[in-house]
Amino acid sequence: MSILNIFSQVEISHYIYLSTVLFCIGLFGVLFRRNAIILLMCIELMLNAVNLLFTAFSSYMGDSDGQIFVFFIMVVAAAEAAVGLAILVLVYRNTRSTDVSFLDQLKG
Amino acid sequence: MMQNLPIPFLVLSFLTILSALYVVTSKNPVHSVLALIFTFFTISAHYVLLNAQFLAIVNLIVYAGAIMVLFLFVLMLLNLSKETEPVKSNWWGISAAITAGCLLLIITAAFQVSGEAVAKNPVEGIGLVKALGKVLFTRFVVPFELTGILFLASMVGAVLLGKREKGNDALISKEELNG
């Protein structure tokens, strides 16, 4: 039994709006910030917004496939964070900064 | 529209959005990491409300436990806890806000048009380990094994990237000697 019978009181659209707002906050962070570590954190925020939406749909429809997908997204996010932070350490070692605006060497 | 919602859902949603905003706007990266951990806690509480107990625990362990500790560790390693980020011009923030606001508007409008397409059919106990494990090890066993390969690849990649190369080291020390 759940603590609160959320399904009778909250519509799925409220979860859609909540995840959309979270996703857009993450997108704003990716566009606005320059610190590479904060960019990675904003990507995690966007992934979590999608996870929340997957779980909401899965629970409302009574189908556990969505929750399996959330599990896989978490796995991929963990791998992405590990490789991304390793790249970040490498960038810091070369440029002595994590500012992404310095990474314009390929522009020519 | 908002009045009929239960109090726990409203409080959790506001806390989630406020802490997510603090992640984005905070100048100090350590405060951002802590706010993001708080956001993950509130999202886990949402999972509990949605009857997804396994995901709530896994979210706490994997995200708030492992990934965010990795972030904090890198912050401490690179000594970035100071407020070193240069201030951007206002135009940058305004254009980023307009872009994100446009996306918010478009998605919201799309859901307004599509309406209530989901039938409510909640089933008791699909979020428990027993039910999810059965699905994971029967229908999704091949993707589950592939995630093992993905983890191996990312582990090798992270170790390879993090390894200090000897030639590179010599180059840096030569430059430092000259400079």
Side-chain angles (χ1 to χ4, degrees):
Chain A
M1 288 297 288
S2 63
I3 308 163
L4 171 83
N5 193 5
I6 197 104
F7 303 108
S8 62
Q9 296 169 31
V10 181
E11 295 293 322
I12 185 98
S13 57
H14 296 115
Y15 276 106
I16 292 174
Y17 294 139
L18 175 64
S19 335
T20 309
V21 169
L22 272 182
F23 190 87
C24 290
I25 290 173
L27 178 75
F28 173 73
V30 168
L31 292 174
F32 181 54
R33 299 300 296 261
R34 278 186 188 166
N35 195 343
I37 204 158
I38 306 232
L39 294 193
L40 280 175
M41 279 160 53
C42 289
I43 291 170
E44 300 290 330
L45 197 63
M46 290 159 83
L47 283 171
N48 260 279
V50 175
N51 279 352
L52 182 62
L53 197 59
F54 259 122
T55 312
F57 271 107
S58 158
S59 290
Y60 272 81
M61 297 180 74
D63 190 349
S64 56
D65 287 7
Q67 300 192 16
I68 301 285
F69 266 88
V70 173
F71 182 73
F72 286 133
I73 291 174
M74 281 179 184
V75 167
V76 173
E80 172 247 328
V83 175
L85 287 173
I87 292 174
L88 187 63
V89 171
L90 208 63
V91 165
Y92 184 79
R93 214 180 273 160
N94 283 326
T95 65
R96 294 287 151 200
S97 163
T98 55
D99 196 333
V100 287
S101 56
F102 290 146
L103 303 178
D104 53 0
Q105 304 289 314
L106 282 179
K107 205 166 57 184
Chain B
M1 176 178 153
M2 299 274 277
Q3 293 87 14
N4 298 326
L5 292 177
I7 299 294
F9 175 78
L10 279 180
V11 172
L12 276 178
S13 303
F14 278 118
L15 281 179
T16 310
I17 291 173
L18 281 182
S19 53
L21 277 176
Y22 191 70
V23 171
V24 171
T25 54
S26 164
K27 291 279 177 216
N28 192 334
V30 175
H31 290 178
S32 282
V33 171
L34 295 178
L36 194 58
I37 291 174
F38 185 75
T39 313
F40 289 156
F41 270 90
T42 55
I43 287 177
S44 279
H46 271 299
Y47 289 163
V48 172
L49 283 185
L50 282 168
N51 263 340
Q53 292 89 352
F54 172 68
L55 282 185
I57 299 297
V58 167
N59 195 44
L60 281 187
I61 294 173
V62 172
Y63 267 116
I67 296 181
M68 296 324 287
V69 167
L70 196 64
F71 271 91
L72 266 184
F73 188 76
V74 170
L75 270 183
M76 299 298 172
L77 185 73
L78 302 186
N79 200 13
L80 290 176
S81 50
K82 303 180 294 293
E83 300 170 8
T84 50
E85 192 168 328
V87 183
K88 280 186 182 179
S89 66
N90 267 336
W91 288 109
W92 199 269
I94 290 170
S95 52
I98 287 174
T99 312
C102 281
L103 183 72
L104 182 67
L105 199 71
I106 288 170
I107 297 179
T108 311
F111 281 122
Q112 290 272 347
V113 171
S114 71
E116 296 286 321
V118 180
K120 271 190 203 173
N121 181 26
V123 177
E124 197 69 34
I126 60 162
L128 296 176
V129 184
K130 195 177 169 188
L132 282 182
K134 268 182 189 165
V135 181
L136 190 62
F137 285 107
T138 52
R139 288 179 50 211
F140 289 94
V141 67
V142 176
F144 180 72
E145 297 293 337
L146 284 178
T147 56
I149 299 173
L150 176 72
F151 262 133
L152 183 68
S154 75
M155 193 173 74
V156 170
V159 169
L160 206 68
L161 284 173
K163 205 177 65 173
R164 195 178 281 271
E165 289 172 33
K166 277 174 187 167
N168 221 354
D169 248 8
L171 200 78
I172 288 170
S173 59
K174 220 181 274 178
E175 279 173 3
E176 278 168 359
L177 278 177
N178 291 337

